[in-house]
Amino acid sequence: MKMLSRSRAAVRMILRVLACVLASIGPGMQVLSQNAPNGSVDLQVIVVRTAADAEQAAQRLQKGEDFAQVAREVSIDPNASAGGFVRGADPANLRPELQSALAPLHLGQISNPVSVSGAFVILKLLGGAVPVAPAASQSVTGQHMAAKSGTGQGMGPGQKSATGSGHAIQFPADVAGQVLADILFERYPKPAGWQQDLQEVCAIRRKSLSEGIAGLENALAHPPEGARTEDEIQTHYALAQLNAYQGKMDGAVKEWGAAYKLAAASVPAGVPQLTEVLGVAYLHKARMENGVFSEPGALCIFPPRGSACFAQTDDSKRAVEYLTQYLQLKPEPADAVQVKWLLNLAYMTLGEYPAGVPAEWRIAPSLFESEENTGRFVDVAPAAGLSFVSMAGGVAVDDFENNGLLDIFVSSYDVCQGLRYFHNNGDGTFSDRSAQAGVADQLGGLNLVQADYNNDGCMDLLVLRGAWEFPERKSLLRNNCNGTFTDVTKEAGLAEPATRTQTAVWADIDNDGLLDLFVGNENAPSQLFLNKGDGTFEDISHASHVDRTAMTKGVTAADFDGDRYVDFYVSNLYGGNFLYGNNHDKTFTEVSEPAGVRQAGSQSFATWFFDYDNDGRPDLFVTGYYFSTDQTIRNYLGLPTTAGTMTLYRNQGGGKFQDVTKETRLDRINTPMGANFGDIDNDGYPDIYLATGGPEYGAMAPKMLLRNHDGRYFADVTDSSGTGDLDKGHGVAFADLGNNGHEDLVVSIGGATPGDSHAFRVFRNPGNANDWITVKVVGVKSNRAGIGAQIHVTVQDAGSALRSVYRTVGSGGSFGANPIEQHIGLGPHAKIVKLEVWWPMSNTRQSFTNVSANQFIEIREFSKDYARVRRKSFVMGGTGGLKTTAASAGP
């Protein structure tokens, strides 16, 4: 009886919160228009869960805060990330409470909070005609069966954003079910302290999902008294989403098919959305049944080379059928770019792309051709013993065993999946030693970042959790220097409070030789933990003036102004970014505006400092992020766009940056989550890999590999390199896994749901003839790992003038972690004229001459000599086609 009671409660919650609140705002919501259809209204909407939240939002609006910004930060409505804009809503489709709230409003006025079935709504009237008296209540179809606080991930089909002028942003069909699963999780009864118990979090996820599904199935089998066709459609839709969430696509398309039939018979306004949903669902089903997620090979590399035809094509044909039908139904086909794109991908699975795609909907593969050729990367993960499937996750590559071999940690967004640790066998393969290392019970985690926080010479690991979903504790795993790790989070003072985070950076803020920790949180203050040197940390977030609240998605550290003290940059999804200048007294001043890197009004994600032009000053890279494949494909097609591009700021010195995005050819739109930088061709200039993705199953776009051309511009080499995987990319690391002098691409591929899990990727570098050197620094007075130390190599290539290559010791980008040791490309036939290391922490410099290229060296702080390091060289996954330069095996 207890289970049945909870199931009934779950279905009541779904139908009340989703159907009655979210769907009541209207179908097919679109961006603000100056010309609303007759009888319709243009609105902005904020939906929150509690009266206290509503009162707080209302007070902010009364103080003059921007409605759109408040909506982005607090609303759980699907249009939250679009500022709450709704175009052409029919008042007759609103619930009576909302109609009554609208009736007295004049243009520009904001309603008081309105209680609607367990939630609270605030409306702002922007235009259109409002009836004086409330009309009869009408419900809508189930296309808006998702919402998520603060993330924007629950946007339904046909919805658009209002982020500037130009073409409104289209968002993918709501198919994956993640948001609905998260609502079930959030509403499920929880014991005290659950956020600190990883096993309990897993148990809640499983129970809430199981009981929610049971409740929906019971509602279909035993409809409540007075249930309408619209209620039945919504219930089928919700059940389909939860099936899709788990990857049970047979059940998902069955339920969506039932909803489609009901809508076609009784609620025709819902047919277009359900048509798109079925097209996306059948395409995802086809890809699952043909092994794309488990054994991808070249099946999801775009553009395809040769035939990518699936063995089982029935579901692909159904996808083509529904996607084509949607395009035929669409009154404005120009707004259906992302559906055209998915139609092209569906034809690709049939081996009929591009010729078989109807001309009016064909997207030519020539649009994706590389600007130049750097050689073909090949996925060798299965051959290397890294054959596993996972949801989204982080990657950290480093020598965790101090044996000269790079090992790999991989986390998972799945709160029931343990941390994976792969030991490098030294022969091109890895062994899973998660259990032996004592990390298999470290469940969940979207990102990882390593550091030797206690200066014992062994690399430790930080696991970050809760991003996009609910607060969870972090895990600090101390390396015991014997192949095992111990969770010391609580003892270190990092467990509480639990937060939603996926980003952190280690840096020594006061030059005391101890690594401190900056953590960026979602819709909560950032945290700065001061390392006390005894294994514990002190939270100085407020005292240091860095505890601003934002939807933080990336943090990075560098001494941008050359004063020997590290500074921080914080990248936020909404509301502008922060640059914290170090005041040398454990406090910081926010200087993004005078520095020119605020990016107010943009949506930012991954970020890092790197010296892209080798002038000795750290430049700043920031990716844009919009939950829209539409904008990415429009950018390839040369069509009008609204979403922001990635941004590159050149450090001009004097604390100022210049936006050089356009001249460096980075004014491109994509949806990168995981991202990092490295040197794929050993020319000394850092290249960029963007692992694109989004939570919805239709959010597929090629990853992007961008080659740095001598610090002048970046060229897209995705097609020629074979790294344009279509599935969801997250943690990225550049790492010379085989000690052969060439950096491979290590990429966690997988989405936000179990049904979007994907095989891990290791794209092996094809090799080149350029020279290189790998430098490991060891701090004595400075932190042991040398994080923050700066390396300057003066090099002369054959027939060329002297030039400089600069690197700052660290793990690279903000979503994925490179090895702390620095792999440095030198160019062709290179002579190292001088190699220098500056230790800002101790303000000392070392200078070495007669350093040979193509070797591994170690430099200890204050030492007059460097040490050559013996390392075995090998090729990951076999030698096929790799041109390699032999690594040094010693003096």
Side-chain angles (χ1 to χ4, degrees), residues 70-336:
V70 177
R72 291 186 185 103
E73 293 180 9
V74 306
S75 181
I76 63 171
D77 176 68
N79 284 297
S81 68
F85 287 95
V86 179
R87 183 185 70 182
D90 184 353
N93 282 341
L94 301 183
R95 291 178 58 86
E97 304 97 310
L98 298 180
Q99 295 176 30
S100 296
L102 272 178
L105 297 183
H106 298 290
L107 292 183
Q109 287 188 330
I110 299 172
S111 74
N112 292 323
V114 182
S115 177
V116 182
S117 297
F120 294 84
V121 181
I122 301 174
L123 304 173
K124 180 177 182 179
L125 179 61
L126 299 171
V130 182
V132 175
S137 173
Q138 296 183 21
S139 183
V140 298
T141 61
Q143 64 264 34
H144 300 312
M145 297 299 295
K148 185 160 184 66
S149 175
T151 71
Q153 294 193 46
M155 305 192 76
Q159 295 173 321
K160 305 178 184 180
S161 171
T163 50
S165 60
H167 174 77
I169 299 175
Q170 302 281 332
F171 293 92
D174 185 16
V175 174
Q178 179 209 356
V179 179
L180 183 53
D182 282 352
I183 290 177
L184 288 171
F185 182 99
E186 290 172 4
R187 294 300 179 92
Y188 197 84
K190 303 176 185 67
W194 67 271
Q195 295 167 324
Q196 299 292 325
D197 187 339
L198 304 180
Q199 305 296 327
E200 183 64 36
V201 172
C202 171
I204 295 168
R205 168 67 82 193
R206 288 174 171 166
K207 292 175 184 177
S208 62
L209 187 63
S210 173
E211 295 182 20
I213 291 172
L216 288 167
E217 291 174 339
N218 183 65
L220 288 174
H222 307 286
E225 185 177 350
R228 301 170 299 173
T229 301
E230 290 88 342
D231 297 328
E232 186 177 357
I233 291 173
Q234 291 163 353
T235 307
H236 280 297
Y237 197 107
L239 190 54
Q241 282 189 307
L242 295 181
N243 273 279
Y245 173 85
Q246 300 173 91
K248 298 178 179 180
M249 298 309 296
D250 283 332
V253 296
K254 176 184 176 183
E255 298 300 334
W256 272 311
Y260 179 91
K261 290 179 180 178
L262 288 168
S266 305
V267 193
V271 169
Q273 286 80 12
L274 286 166
T275 302
E276 181 186 7
V277 163
L278 279 164
V280 175
Y282 271 110
L283 179 57
H284 192 78
K285 183 173 183 284
R287 300 177 83 243
M288 288 190 74
E289 293 185 350
N290 283 274
V292 168
F293 298 99
S294 57
E295 299 178 22
L299 287 175
C300 51
I301 300 296
F302 191 88
R305 293 197 175 184
S307 175
C309 182
F310 285 178
Q312 304 294 330
T313 59
D314 288 349
D315 291 322
S316 293
K317 292 175 181 177
R318 296 298 302 276
V320 167
E321 174 188 339
Y322 279 109
L323 294 171
T324 300
Q325 181 182 340
Y326 177 83
L327 291 171
Q328 293 169 339
L329 289 170
K330 189 71 176 175
E332 300 177 28
D335 287 340

Side-chain angles (χ1 to χ4, degrees), residues 560-717:
F560 81 89
D561 51 7
D563 64 357
R564 288 186 47 234
Y565 283 80
V566 70
D567 313 295
F568 295 108
Y569 188 72
V570 179
S571 172
N572 302 313
L573 194 60
Y574 311 118
N577 301 332
F578 311 137
L579 177 62
Y580 291 112
N582 194 321
N583 298 324
H584 309 175
D585 60 359
K586 301 185 182 67
T587 70
F588 294 79
T589 299
E590 206 287 302
V591 294
S592 60
E593 286 286 359
V597 295
R598 172 67 173 164
Q599 290 200 192
S602 67
Q603 291 186 204
S604 302
F605 206 112
T607 185
W608 58 71
F609 286 101
F610 68 161
D611 190 354
Y612 84 95
D613 56 357
N614 282 322
D615 67 353
R617 293 188 292 263
D619 309 301
L620 179 62
F621 178 75
V622 190
T623 68
Y625 188 81
Y626 292 77
F627 299 92
S628 170
T629 309
D630 164 79
Q631 293 288 293
T632 298
I633 303 306
R634 294 181 73 88
N635 190 234
Y636 278 111
L637 291 168
L639 296 173
T641 57
T642 299
T645 70
M646 59 191 85
T647 308
L648 178 61
Y649 295 104
R650 184 175 183 270
N651 192 330
Q652 297 179 289
K656 303 289 186 179
F657 290 83
Q658 176 189 5
D659 187 337
V660 294
T661 307
K662 189 171 183 178
E663 48 263 56
T664 55
R665 304 184 190 175
L666 289 175
D667 52 339
R668 308 165 190 257
I669 294 174
N670 215 315
T671 55
M673 286 191 157
N676 217 323
F677 64 92
D679 190 350
I680 61 170
D681 53 1
N682 284 339
D683 67 350
Y685 291 92
D687 311 301
I688 296 171
Y689 189 68
L690 304 176
T692 58
E696 283 301 333
Y697 290 171
M700 292 184 287
K703 310 294 172 284
M704 188 175 281
L705 182 59
L706 301 169
R707 178 178 177 259
N708 187 336
H709 244 283
D710 304 325
R712 294 181 292 116
Y713 65 90
F714 289 81
D716 188 341
V717 295

